[in-house]
Amino acid sequence: MFGLIIALHIISCIFLILVILIQPGKGYGLSETFGGQTQSIFGTRAATFMTRITALSAAVFLLTSLSLAVISGKRSRSIMERVKAEEVKKEAAPESQEAVPPAPENIPATEPASLPQPAQQNQ
């Protein structure tokens, strides 16, 4: 269910972007400033059709966004709850004693080099 809503959301996002980019300008842009004429690619009927398609795809986008927010809110817990749960598990588990590895037997023992003694100062 969650994956289906995500797929529908992504498709609606891409479709909404494409529909908005395809729509013709309203004529008050930069081209009007320099005396250019704006032309409608699809005509006036297409403009109303495109605005309806835009509104429909925006509604689908909004519904999928809200449903994803509600589902993900119910689905996951916060990170702090996970950290607390891990701490409880660590406290409940018996602590294992770390074994110190034995010293190797075949290495000859050497005496540390004697360091020079500091000179005593007369007080």
Side-chain angles (χ1 to χ4, degrees):
M1 180 71 177
F2 192 69
L4 179 67
I5 295 175
I6 288 177
L8 184 62
H9 184 69
I10 291 172
I11 291 170
S12 69
C13 289
I14 293 170
F15 187 72
L16 183 62
I17 291 169
L18 292 176
V19 167
I20 289 173
L21 289 176
I22 288 174
Q23 287 185 7
K26 300 295 180 193
Y28 298 108
L30 188 61
S31 63
E32 237 355 85
T33 306
F34 296 112
Q37 295 180 348
T38 58
Q39 297 177 359
S40 178
I41 297 172
F42 299 110
T44 57
R45 277 186 47 193
T48 59
F49 175 72
M50 294 300 282
T51 55
R52 288 181 184 171
I53 293 294
T54 304
L56 180 67
S57 60
V60 170
F61 174 77
L62 181 67
L63 289 175
T64 55
S65 296
L66 291 174
S67 62
L68 284 172
V70 169
I71 290 173
S72 66
K74 291 179 181 178
R75 187 175 183 189
S76 64
R77 298 182 305 177
S78 71
I79 294 174
M80 292 306 296
E81 288 178 7
R82 291 180 188 166
V83 169
K84 289 178 183 177
E86 289 176 5
E87 288 177 1
V88 170
K89 286 180 184 178
K90 286 181 182 178
E91 289 175 1
E95 295 182 16
S96 63
Q97 296 178 356
E98 294 183 19
V100 178
E105 296 175 11
N106 58 358
I107 298 177
T110 58
E111 293 184 21
S114 61
L115 298 174
Q117 297 294 329
Q120 293 182 352
Q121 296 178 354
N122 293 335
Q123 293 180 350

